Amino acid sequence: MHKKLLKTILSCWLICSFLPLAHTQYFSHQLNLQDSTQVHILRTKRGDRFVGQLTDIRSTNLFFRLGNGNELTFTFKEVISIITWQEENLDSAKMWQRQFRDDLIGEGQGRSISKENLIYSSTAFNYGKGDGEVRSIAFIVNIVDVGVTEGFSIGGGFALPDIGIFRLKATTPVGRSLHVGAGVNMIFPITEFTGIEGVAHTFAILTAGNPDQFFNLTIGSSIAFDAFSDDVFLASIGGGYRVAPQWRLHFEILFGGDDGGFIPAVGSVWQKGNFKLELGLAGLPETDIDSALIPILALGFLF
C-alpha cells in the first residue's frame, strides 16, 4: 500500500534540479542600431522571446522597443541572444508560427504558458528570480515554487492526507534551443497516519525547443529512506505546444516502476493573466495502457 501511494505521488509530481553550468550568450554581428527598418529578436534566460528593435546600449543595460512602441530595459546578464529577423532563416511553412508568437507579445501574453512543468514531470525551463507559482492538483497535491535566482528554484508543499513535499530545481541554457537541468524531490510523512516511509527522487532533464513548443526528457531514480525497499528507475518523455495565446496542449509518458511499465497522459492548459487551469487524462501507477485514463484537474496562480 505504501509503495503504491508513494509512486502515485511521484507520478503526479516529478521535479528536478541542480546543475552548475555556465550560461551562453550571443549578439549578432549584423545588428545595426542606425537602421530603423531592421527587426531584432531578443531572447532572455527566463525563456521569453521579444520581437522589436534594439535602440541603445548604455553601460550594462540594453534598451529594446516593441512593435507597439513600449520600451523594455534588460541587463546583459538577463539576455541569451539578440539576432536579426533575417537570421531566423524563415521559410514560408514556418512564417505563420513566428507571426503567431509575435502576436502573443502584442496581446500581453509574453509570458509562456506553464513552461516550467508538464503533467508528471518538470522541464528545464525555470522561474525567474522572485517569480513563482502556487499549484494544486485536484486539491490533493499542493505545491508552491519560487525562483531564488535566475535558473534556480525551490518548492514545497503537501499531499493529503499527511505527506510533505520538498524540492529543488536548477536549469541552464546550453544553446539557443536547448536547456538542461537536474533536481531532487523529497516526499516524507508528516505524521504516522499513513504509515509510509519517505523517498527521495533525483533526476536530470533535457528540454529542446522554446517555451511555446518543446520536447522534454527526464531520467532519474527514487530512493526510499528505509533499508528494505529497492530503488526505482523513473523516466519520462513529453512535450508542449502553444496553439493559441491562452492555450497549450501537452502529452507525456512515464516509464519505470517495479514492472517496467509505462503510463500515458495528455492535457491542456488555459492561462488568463496569472491564473491557470489544467485539464487532461492520465493513468495511475500499477495500471497498464489498456486501463481507463482518469480525468485530472489542476489550478495554478503565477506571481
Side-chain angles (χ1 to χ4, degrees):
M1 175 63 183
H2 70 277
K3 288 186 179 180
K4 183 176 182 179
L5 180 58
L6 284 173
K7 289 199 294 182
T8 303
I9 299 301
L10 279 171
S11 67
C12 288
W13 203 268
L14 297 184
I15 38 53
C16 62
S17 180
F18 226 47
L19 197 66
L21 296 178
H23 292 288
T24 59
Q25 197 172 56
Y26 175 73
F27 293 83
S28 171
H29 67 279
Q30 297 184 25
L31 296 175
N32 183 0
L33 276 61
Q34 306 303 317
D35 184 356
S36 61
T37 64
Q38 192 177 72
V39 178
H40 304 151
I41 299 173
L42 183 149
R43 288 183 172 83
T44 67
K45 291 180 180 178
R46 61 178 289 171
D48 298 315
R49 176 182 181 273
F50 297 100
V51 176
Q53 188 175 51
L54 179 65
T55 60
D56 198 4
I57 301 176
R58 302 175 198 167
S59 184
T60 59
N61 292 324
L62 304 174
F63 297 86
F64 194 85
R65 183 182 297 120
L66 300 178
N68 58 12
N70 293 337
E71 189 170 70
L72 306 177
T73 303
F74 303 92
T75 61
F76 275 102
K77 67 178 182 179
E78 293 177 307
V79 177
I80 292 178
S81 66
I82 306 178
I83 62 175
T84 65
W85 178 272
Q86 289 74 15
E87 289 178 285
E88 290 277 274
N89 295 320
L90 297 177
D91 56 37
S92 58
K94 293 182 179 179
M95 180 64 76
W96 72 270
Q97 300 177 358
R98 299 302 188 190
Q99 185 61 52
F100 168 72
R101 289 201 292 271
D102 297 343
D103 291 342
L104 300 180
I105 304 300
E107 297 185 25
Q109 298 293 329
R111 187 168 187 177
S112 299
I113 297 179
S114 192
K115 67 179 184 299
E116 298 84 5
N117 299 289
L118 283 172
I119 302 171
Y120 296 127
S121 63
S122 184
T123 72
F125 298 118
N126 218 330
Y127 300 97
K129 182 179 180 180
D131 295 336
E133 178 181 1
V134 180
R135 191 181 185 207
S136 177
I137 302 176
F139 303 104
I140 297 176
V141 180
N142 305 279
I143 299 287
V144 177
D145 289 302
V146 179
V148 179
T149 63
E150 295 295 333
F152 177 72
S153 62
I154 186 171
F158 66 92
L160 298 177
D162 71 335
I163 297 175
I165 300 172
F166 176 75
R167 63 190 205 164
L168 302 171
K169 172 179 171 179
T171 61
T172 184
V174 293
R176 286 180 53 189
S177 60
L178 189 65
H179 290 68
V180 296
V184 59
N185 185 46
M186 290 185 288
I187 297 174
F188 52 90
I190 300 176
T191 69
E192 297 182 356
F193 177 77
T194 55
I196 66 172
E197 300 292 341
V199 63
H201 180 248
T202 60
F203 57 94
I205 321 169
L206 185 147
T207 303
N210 61 65
D212 290 327
Q213 47 186 342
F214 58 87
F215 176 82
N216 198 64
L217 169 68
T218 70
I219 299 177
S221 177
S222 66
I223 304 172
F225 291 165
D226 67 87
F228 304 101
S229 300
D230 296 329
D231 298 345
V232 178
F233 169 80
L234 292 172
S236 71
I237 60 172
Y241 193 93
R242 192 170 187 168
V243 295
Q246 296 176 342
W247 284 96
R248 186 194 80 181
L249 302 180
H250 50 230
F251 78 96
E252 196 161 16
I253 303 176
L254 177 69
F255 300 89
D258 296 333
D259 56 359
F262 63 96
I263 308 166
V266 294
S268 63
V269 178
W270 175 82
Q271 181 173 314
K272 179 70 173 180
N274 292 332
F275 177 77
K276 284 190 344 181
L277 173 65
E278 302 180 42
L279 302 170
L281 296 171
L284 288 177
E286 299 187 7
T287 61
D288 54 39
I289 190 66
D290 296 325
S291 301
L293 301 177
I294 65 170
I296 56 175
L297 168 68
L299 302 176
F301 182 80
L302 305 172
F303 58 86

